[in-house]
Amino acid sequence: MFGSQIPTVTVAEITDDTYLLDVREDDEWQAGHAPTAHHLPMMELPARIAEVPTDQDVAVICRSGGRSAQVVAYLMRNGWEQVRNVAGGMGDWAAAGRPVVGTDGQPGRVL
């Protein structure tokens, strides 16, 4: 959709040192997210951009990769260099057997 100009990372390449930024909506986050992810809905990014670190690897994730690719492009236009789109999004995350939790701490599901 966005071509090769959007750097990507696979779920398998995400380490514990990666800042995982989940840009999905509140209902999607509440239903299920990666336990170490940081939630910042895509539409709130311009007002909250200072919350995204510039000094470490950032992997941006959504449900399937479309919204997160837009966020990666936006961050790159605003000076971020260590930012990547998570290929396949939360769908691939769950399919790879990575943990998904709801906001209640119970096992979650991807919406």
Side-chain angles (χ1 to χ4, degrees), residues 7-53:
T8 62
V9 62
T10 66
V11 169
E13 295 172 306
I14 297 173
T15 69
D16 291 341
D17 295 330
T18 304
Y19 185 92
L20 186 60
L21 180 63
D22 190 322
V23 296
R24 297 175 302 145
E25 296 299 320
D26 288 336
D27 61 330
E28 294 172 290
W29 169 264
Q30 290 168 3
H33 57 271
T36 60
H38 302 270
H39 187 220
L40 199 170
M42 178 178 164
M43 299 311 288
E44 295 179 22
L45 181 64
R48 297 175 56 192
I49 195 168
E51 295 176 31
V52 182

Side-chain angles (χ1 to χ4, degrees), residues 2 6 49 69-80 83:
F2 294 94
I6 301 297
I49 195 168
Q70 293 176 53
V71 168
V72 168
Y74 180 83
L75 289 171
M76 290 175 67
R77 285 193 307 271
N78 283 279
W80 271 254
V83 62

